[in-house]
Amino acid sequence: RTDRICVRETEVKGLKIPEGMQIAVPIYILHHNEKLWQDPEKFDPERFSAENKAKIKPCQFMPFGFGPRICIGKRLAITEMKIALAKLLREFILVKCDKTKVGTRE
Ligand code: HEM
């Protein structure tokens, strides 16, 4: 959760946020914003290639939050995912079948 409580009245780009108001960054919406991502629904790992990574603005991609309260388990989670993927690819041969959908999620 990225909820925060505003501790003093603040103005961000003309929008007044009163003291005590609860605000949150909607991460899913941020990561599916067409103004920020080309073809946001497409599974496209190349967005994060060394070449493309530099085009991503700060806070545009923040699955683990941001700032002093960023997810404390971020590195553990990423390491676990890498181990799971490595084990999967080492122990199984993945092949396409008739029902396999490639590309978009439609
Ligand atoms: C894919 C896995 C995970 C995702 C996507 C994720 C995402 C997040 C996000 C978005 C936040 C809020 C950050 C913010 O408020 O700015 C958070 C906080 C937190 N996460 Fe995770 N998390 C993951 C795995 C884990 C794991 C494995 C642990 C512990 C072993 C963990 C422990 C925590 C804790 C303790 C906080 C609160 C940190 C604080 O308030 O200072 N998370 N996580």
Side-chain angles (χ1 to χ4, degrees), residues 61-77:
F61 183 65
M62 43 180 285
F64 294 97
F66 197 79
R69 302 302 294 266
I70 193 169
C71 176
I72 199 169
K74 177 182 172 181
R75 290 195 188 282
L76 173 65

Side-chain angles (χ1 to χ4, degrees), residues 27-50:
I27 296 178
Y28 180 89
I29 293 168
L30 178 67
H31 291 174
H32 289 80
N33 186 335
E34 286 183 355
K35 289 183 192 154
L36 298 172
W37 304 96
Q38 196 182 356
D39 209 353
E41 290 297 328
K42 188 180 171 197
F43 175 69
D44 179 13
E46 289 306 310
R47 295 179 203 281
F48 304 99
S49 68

Side-chain angles (χ1 to χ4, degrees), residues 92-98 100:
F92 297 91
I93 295 168
L94 305 179
V95 288
K96 280 198 288 183
C97 72
D98 296 342
T100 307

Side-chain angles (χ1 to χ4, degrees):
R1 292 175 58 135
T2 55
D3 305 44
R4 304 286 191 270
I5 304 281
C6 180
V7 292
R8 61 179 172 276
E9 192 179 275
T10 312
E11 198 174 313
V12 182
K13 293 189 176 178
L15 180 73
K16 276 207 175 116
I17 303 171
E19 184 183 328
M21 178 174 267
Q22 186 174 346
I23 56 164
V25 176
I27 296 178
Y28 180 89
I29 293 168
L30 178 67
H31 291 174
H32 289 80
N33 186 335
E34 286 183 355
K35 289 183 192 154
L36 298 172
W37 304 96
Q38 196 182 356
D39 209 353
E41 290 297 328
K42 188 180 171 197
F43 175 69
D44 179 13
E46 289 306 310
R47 295 179 203 281
F48 304 99
S49 68
E51 191 192 12
N52 291 334
K53 229 165 139 177
K55 294 178 207 155
I56 298 172
K57 298 184 194 106
C59 289
Q60 182 176 339
F61 183 65
M62 43 180 285
F64 294 97
F66 197 79
R69 302 302 294 266
I70 193 169
C71 176
I72 199 169
K74 177 182 172 181
R75 290 195 188 282
L76 173 65
I78 291 174
T79 305
E80 280 179 337
M81 286 186 269
K82 284 181 184 169
I83 292 170
L85 187 61
K87 282 196 159 205
L88 190 76
L89 294 174
R90 204 169 65 172
E91 290 174 32
F92 297 91
I93 295 168
L94 305 179
V95 288
K96 280 198 288 183
C97 72
D98 296 342
K99 290 181 184 171
T100 307
K101 289 177 183 167
V102 180
T104 56
R105 277 194 273 154
E106 287 146 44

